[in-house]
Amino acid sequence: MRTGHDLHRRFAARLLGLGLAVTLAGCAGHGSAEAPVRRVRVALIGWDGAGWSVLDPLLRQGRLPHLQRLLERGARGEILVEPPIFSPIVWTTLATGFPPEEHGVSDFLLPDPRDPTRLVLASAFHRRRAPLWWIASQAGRTVGFVAWWTSWPAEPVRGYLVSDHLVYNRWAAWARMAEGETYRLAYPPELEAALRPLAEQAQRYDEASLRALVPFDTRELREAREAARPVMFHAPSAFRFALATDRGNAAIARHLLDTRAQPDLFSVTFILGDVAGHLFWHHSEPEAFPPYPEPGRLREAIPNVWEQLDRWTGELVERLDPETRIVIVSDHGMRASGALPVPGKNPAGDHDPRGILVLSGPGVAPGADLGAVPALDFAPSVLALLGVPVGRDMPGRVHTSWLTGRQQVQYVASWGAGPPAPVETSPADEAVRERLKSLGYISP
């Protein structure tokens, strides 16, 4: 197994080599007399499961004031994704600019590199294409990522990377770390100890926070309180643990922006909108679930969740430099499954291939329509916006309407496979496998 020293040495070597290639590519075809273009800083905020069919009514009601302000100085569109619409697949496509058959993350569970007969949760060591955080680091830009899917084990970057395994979540809420093990949950490694106190402890029952978003009845509150683990599509337990995930990641993101210089490329991902859609869609659209005996009893659950995500987003935006270009993106939207949720079997809300895209900040034409943007176009467009060369082998195109002023698209031949990922076992693997069995994604 590679040591941390080996990884950092190899990373530095790649940084030097590819940095030279970037410099040469950036100079090609551009006049030396042209005035330098001011560096653009970008913040990516992931709203898992967000769709305009839910957000637009809330915007009209004035319930999403922070998103409304971003839209008033920005543009909107849709992200279009191809099936299968699974979170680890789509978020990896958004991060790399390649489809699953090329980036390597093609399912929730994939063969263990050390034992192909055993399936493990899709992770960084399955990814075969360089992600945004590594590309930007190679190009000399600073990055700060929190909770992006398949970002564990945390890779060396020019800045920080908080993996999706640091905070307890619905996939691995009870995973216990062996004493003394670090498991590369964050980079740099010492960041983990500093952030762990901010990670929401999912086992701690916080009824006030729960009821503020979902007005569960007495029976449901008892089930939530007594739950030792989330049961897939069981609203009281699954929502309780998912709320802990996003509360923890929101706290970590705020702390990092408060205590460190804002990186050139900042990102945080929230998953609660997706969870709420799976659990409560039948309350928001009861007519799609005939016959449904208690229409709309929890009809405010999904709107309440998006209000909370809007508040967390506002808390982050106010910490960013006003000149930051802010991008909100989802991996998909949500729609009715047509079947009432059954714990461990099926959800009320299913994935819709149309997600949201918002681009806001200096230089963006207010009210502009970004149109329907294929997921493959996201990474090259973000790189161009950031002023980082785009790989010519990326199948997506750059949307030049995202660029500011005199920004011009620069290219390199390829960013390759990305960093050498250590092959390790996360303490979450077994818990994740059990969650996926209950989802029906894998066989018992």
Side-chain angles (χ1 to χ4, degrees), residues 32-355:
S32 59
E34 185 177 345
V37 178
R38 185 178 183 273
R39 272 193 171 188
V40 175
R41 288 200 287 185
V42 176
L44 307 178
I45 300 177
W47 279 11
D48 200 311
W52 292 118
S53 66
V54 172
L55 299 185
D56 275 336
L58 298 178
L59 286 166
R60 289 192 291 269
Q61 297 166 26
R63 298 179 67 170
L64 305 177
H66 301 290
L67 177 60
Q68 182 64 49
R69 281 194 285 273
L70 291 174
L71 290 171
E72 287 170 357
R73 58 196 296 255
R76 60 178 274 173
E78 289 185 324
I79 280 285
L80 298 182
V81 300
E82 298 290 334
I85 310 175
F86 294 163
S87 291
I89 299 176
V90 180
W91 285 110
T92 305
T93 293
L94 293 173
T96 64
F98 287 90
E101 57 268 23
E102 294 190 54
H103 65 56
V105 178
S106 57
D107 208 333
F108 278 92
L109 293 183
L110 296 170
D112 187 333
R114 298 145 303 182
D115 179 6
T117 65
R118 179 174 182 268
L119 294 177
V120 294
L121 180 65
S123 299
F125 48 72
H126 293 108
R127 194 180 57 234
R128 299 196 299 265
R129 288 290 185 173
L132 286 169
W133 51 89
W134 193 77
I135 295 174
S137 295
Q138 293 283 328
R141 307 303 294 272
T142 57
V143 303
F145 272 69
V146 178
W148 197 282
W149 274 85
T150 67
S151 57
W152 178 87
E155 301 148 336
V157 293
R158 190 185 296 269
Y160 56 83
L161 174 61
V162 181
S163 80
D164 54 333
H165 281 212
L166 178 62
V167 170
Y168 289 102
N169 59 47
R170 67 195 190 281
W171 301 105
W174 306 274
R176 296 179 181 272
M177 293 176 58
E179 187 175 356
E181 296 284 352
T182 62
Y183 292 107
R184 303 185 190 273
L185 298 178
Y187 180 87
E190 61 271 17
L191 193 59
E192 181 189 340
L195 297 180
R196 183 154 294 286
L198 299 172
E200 184 83 11
Q201 299 298 311
Q203 286 81 0
R204 182 176 65 84
Y205 177 62
D206 184 352
E207 185 171 305
S209 296
L210 199 65
R211 295 192 67 184
L213 298 180
V214 183
F216 285 126
D217 62 24
T218 302
R219 174 186 58 82
E220 291 163 334
L221 287 172
R222 184 181 67 252
E223 292 178 0
R225 182 174 60 251
E226 295 174 352
R229 57 192 295 176
V231 175
M232 201 63 63
F233 311 135
H234 174 253
S237 63
F239 188 79
R240 169 189 163 185
F241 286 96
L243 177 59
T245 300
D246 275 3
R247 282 177 51 149
N249 284 323
I252 286 172
R254 289 193 300 266
H255 173 79
L256 289 167
L257 289 176
D258 285 341
T259 59
R260 294 174 175 240
Q262 180 184 329
D264 296 324
L265 179 59
F266 172 79
S267 177
V268 62
T269 305
F270 296 113
I271 53 89
L272 200 58
D274 173 84
V275 176
H278 285 312
L279 299 176
F280 304 118
W281 200 270
H282 53 309
H283 293 286
S284 291
E285 192 184 356
E287 62 273 16
F289 298 84
Y292 183 42
E294 44 181 0
R297 182 174 67 83
L298 296 178
R299 62 183 176 275
E300 286 301 299
I302 290 177
N304 287 347
V305 164
W306 287 113
E307 283 185 313
Q308 179 60 70
L309 290 166
D310 184 74
R311 285 192 291 272
W312 281 329
T313 297
E315 291 167 359
L316 297 175
V317 169
E318 71 182 10
R319 288 166 163 80
L320 298 171
D321 184 284
E323 296 297 306
T324 304
R325 281 288 194 94
I326 298 169
V327 180
I328 298 181
V329 66
S330 63
D331 56 338
H332 56 75
M334 299 294 293
R335 60 189 176 191
S337 71
L340 293 176
V342 177
K345 292 185 178 180
N346 63 269
D350 203 356
H351 294 170
D352 186 280
R354 297 165 298 172

